[in-house]
Amino acid sequence: MTPFSRIHGALAAAAFTVCTGAAAQAPMPKLVGEYNLLSSTTVPPSNWGYSKARVSIKQLDDHHLLILLACEWKREPKAVCGDYFYAQWRDDGLYLQDMNTFAMRLYFDPATRKLTIISRGADARQSVRHEVFGTTTAPLVDTALVRRMKREQSNADSKENRRVFGPYTKWDYQQNRIEFQRQDLTAP
């Protein structure tokens, strides 16, 4: 006959398996969409922010997103401004690629659908830039941002980048998790 403690342990293990299985199947929060810049600030105050920007987030497969950023600098509007990032959904959250993301953090509030990007500068003042984006359904019509968005999409699709870095499905996604605001904290 099995001792009570073994049955209790087996039940606890089964409950843990059921709970972790349910967590593993949790759907990815709905980030896919278009986001317009709402604000761009720096600490200490400077003109190292964006005068305008747009983020486009696209679903690539069940586990990967592509995040495209097209922007215009306040201090130098004609300078190149844009980037792209891949993100991977795993059991314990959504992670940015480990390549060139060490100085930034992303936060997403599912209740308000606001995306916040905080970037640490490499300048002598050690500036911190804080951008807030809100969802939009309006088409992108600004010619500079349209051109820059196309360039970032082209960079993300580049065969040369794929040859050098490998496919995004093989990249490391360990260091930089996209943080989600807990909805239960804001609920009445």
Side-chain angles (χ1 to χ4, degrees), residues 43-44 46 48 75 120-128:
V43 177
S46 74
W48 183 63
R75 67 177 173 203
R120 184 171 21 96
D123 60 338
R125 298 174 72 188
Q126 297 181 352
S127 300
V128 175

Side-chain angles (χ1 to χ4, degrees), residues 35 42 51 64 66 102 109 123 128 136 141 165 169 176 186:
Y35 299 81
T42 57
S51 57
H64 293 91
L66 174 61
F102 63 92
D109 185 346
D123 60 338
V128 175
T136 183
V141 294
F165 300 116
T169 56
N176 199 343
T186 58

Side-chain angles (χ1 to χ4, degrees), residues 65-133:
L65 298 174
L66 174 61
I67 303 168
L68 301 171
L69 168 67
C71 48
E72 181 176 283
W73 294 109
K74 289 178 184 175
R75 67 177 173 203
E76 202 173 337
K78 301 280 186 204
V80 173
C81 187
D83 216 335
Y84 69 94
F85 307 98
Y86 288 96
Q88 181 184 66
W89 179 251
R90 298 199 319 256
D91 294 346
D92 60 340
L94 185 64
Y95 287 80
L96 278 180
Q97 68 199 36
D98 286 351
M99 206 176 344
N100 297 325
T101 58
F102 63 92
M104 65 184 295
R105 296 291 176 263
L106 269 74
Y107 302 90
F108 182 72
D109 185 346
T112 62
R113 299 211 13 95
K114 285 187 180 173
L115 178 71
T116 302
I117 301 174
I118 299 176
S119 307
R120 184 171 21 96
D123 60 338
R125 298 174 72 188
Q126 297 181 352
S127 300
V128 175
R129 198 173 70 241
H130 185 152
E131 275 87 37
V132 178
F133 295 85

Side-chain angles (χ1 to χ4, degrees), residues 5 17 32 54 97 114-115 133 136 151 163 167 179 181:
S5 62
T17 302
V32 174
R54 176 90 166 219
Q97 68 199 36
K114 285 187 180 173
L115 178 71
F133 295 85
T136 183
R151 183 186 65 231
R163 184 189 70 76
E179 298 294 330
Q181 304 298 315

Side-chain angles (χ1 to χ4, degrees), residues 3 10 20 30 34 57 70 119 124-125 142 144-145 148 173 175 184-185:
T20 57
K30 186 172 171 21
E34 301 294 317
I57 301 179
S119 307
R125 298 174 72 188
D142 183 278
L145 291 182
R148 291 170 183 183
Y173 300 86
Q175 306 295 323
D184 59 327
L185 295 178

